Amino acid sequence: AENINVTDVSTEIANENDSYKESIRLLTSLGILSSDFEAGFDAGKTITRADFAKVFVNLFYKVSGNAGTTSFSDVAATHPASTAIETLYSLKIMNGYPDGTFRPDEFINVEDVVKIFVSCLGYDVYAKNKGGYPNGYLITATDISLTRNMHLNIGKPITQGELVRLFARAIDIDILNAVSYGEKVQYEKRVGYTILSKNFNIYKGEGIVNGNSNTLLNGKSSLRTDEVLIDNIVYKTGQTNAGDLLGYYVEFYYKENDGYDNELLYITPDI
C-alpha cells in the first residue's frame, strides 16, 4: 500500500489557504466576508446554497438575524440564513424550486454562481446574446475579467477558494447600467462605478502616501494621528496601518463620507 505523509498533505493544504490570505483580508476589511468565514476558511471546501446566500448578500445589504417570514417550505424563519435567502429572493438574485423549496443544504455549482455574479454586475443582456445559461454567462464572465485566467471546475460545486477569487474580481468590475432615452434603451459603463460604490459609497484608489502625523515627504506635517495624505488628499486611517506606509505607492479602498474626510478600509503596498 502507498504511504501518505500526513505532514506533507497538511502543509500543502496550509500553503493553498495562505495563497488566499490577502484576498480574504481585503474582503473582510470591506465587510463582505465575516470573521467567522475567515477563521474557518478552507480553500477546497464546497459551499451550500444557504451559506452562499449569507455571504453574497453582503454585496447589497448588511443583514443579520432571522426573517420574519419565509417564502420556502424548507427554510424556517428561524434558519440562520433566512434573512439572507429572503433578501436575495426578493431581489430576484436567487430563486427556489417549482415545488416551493429552496434546498438550503444542497451545494451550489460554479456556473450558477458565475451567472449570479454576471447578472448582478448588469451583464445579463450580453450573456443572453451569447447563448444564455450556462455558456453565455461563462463567456461573458471571461470577457469582463471576472473569470479570465481563473481555473474553475464547471459542473462541480463551488469551493470557498473559488468564491473568494470571484468576489475579489467582482468588486473591481464596472457595472453595466441600462439607460433609457425615450423608448430606446442603451447600456453604459462608468469607470469606477462598481457594486461597492453603488451600494456602499466605497471606492478604490492608488497613489503615494506622502504624509502622516509625523512628517510629510516634502515638509512638516499638521495631520492628526488618525490621518494620512495620499497624493495630497487627506484620508482617515480607520483600522488600517496607512501611517506606517509613508513613501510607498499603495492600492486602497475607502469609504466616501459626505462632509467628512474619506475613511480608509483597506490599504496595501503595490510592490
Side-chain angles (χ1 to χ4, degrees):
E2 182 181 359
N3 292 324
I4 299 175
N5 189 319
V6 176
T7 302
D8 288 346
V9 172
S10 298
T11 301
E12 183 178 339
I13 293 171
N15 289 340
E16 182 181 8
N17 288 344
D18 284 346
S19 70
Y20 295 89
K21 276 188 176 179
E22 195 58 34
S23 293
I24 292 173
R25 185 172 80 85
L26 165 62
L27 297 168
T28 303
S29 299
L30 298 178
I32 295 170
L33 297 182
S34 68
S35 56
D36 288 342
F37 184 98
E38 182 179 14
F41 177 74
D42 180 345
K45 184 178 180 181
T46 50
I47 298 173
T48 65
R49 285 168 54 81
D51 286 341
F52 172 78
K54 285 196 295 184
V55 175
F56 194 82
V57 76
N58 290 327
L59 275 180
F60 300 90
Y61 304 103
K62 296 295 184 284
V63 300
S64 60
N66 301 319
T69 59
T70 180
S71 302
F72 303 103
S73 60
D74 57 347
V75 180
T78 55
H79 192 286
S82 60
T83 299
I85 290 169
E86 286 299 314
T87 300
L88 295 182
Y89 177 64
S90 68
L91 293 172
K92 298 182 180 179
I93 294 170
M94 291 188 77
N95 297 313
Y97 291 87
D99 63 359
T101 63
F102 184 80
R103 303 178 191 174
D105 297 325
E106 283 193 1
F107 294 118
I108 184 166
N109 280 357
V110 167
E111 56 269 32
D112 293 326
V113 172
V114 169
K115 179 183 184 298
I116 289 171
F117 271 103
V118 169
S119 297
C120 290
L121 291 169
Y123 292 88
D124 250 326
V125 63
Y126 276 77
K128 289 176 180 176
N129 286 338
K130 292 178 182 294
Y133 178 84
N135 289 339
Y137 285 89
L138 295 172
I139 293 169
T140 301
T142 299
D143 290 345
I144 64 175
S145 296
L146 177 65
T147 59
R148 185 173 296 162
N149 299 323
M150 186 186 299
H151 175 71
L152 294 171
N153 293 307
I154 306 302
K156 302 290 186 180
I158 196 164
T159 64
Q160 289 187 2
E162 290 169 331
L163 184 59
V164 164
R165 296 286 195 229
L166 289 173
F167 269 121
R169 295 273 188 94
I171 59 175
D172 289 338
I173 294 174
D174 295 330
I175 291 174
L176 188 68
N177 282 308
V179 181
S180 297
Y181 297 97
E183 295 182 356
K184 188 176 181 180
V185 177
Q186 292 184 350
Y187 293 88
E188 299 178 350
K189 284 192 300 184
R190 290 201 324 241
V191 175
Y193 185 62
T194 66
I195 205 161
L196 289 179
S197 61
K198 175 185 177 183
N199 294 332
F200 301 112
N201 285 331
I202 294 175
Y203 297 85
K204 185 178 183 180
E206 57 184 52
I208 296 175
V209 180
N210 50 3
N212 58 22
S213 60
N214 295 319
T215 186
L216 303 182
L217 290 180
N218 59 353
K220 187 178 179 180
S221 175
S222 60
L223 295 169
R224 299 176 180 177
T225 56
D226 64 342
E227 294 176 336
V228 292
L229 206 62
I230 304 178
D231 280 358
N232 297 316
I233 298 174
V234 176
Y235 295 88
K236 293 292 186 183
T237 56
Q239 301 298 312
T240 72
N241 67 334
D244 298 331
L245 299 174
L246 184 68
Y248 281 90
Y249 192 91
V250 296
E251 292 185 350
F252 59 95
Y253 290 80
Y254 65 95
K255 187 171 180 63
E256 194 173 82
N257 297 313
D258 293 336
Y260 300 93
D261 289 329
N262 299 327
E263 181 181 358
L264 295 172
L265 301 176
Y266 168 91
I267 189 168
T268 188
D270 185 16
I271 300 174

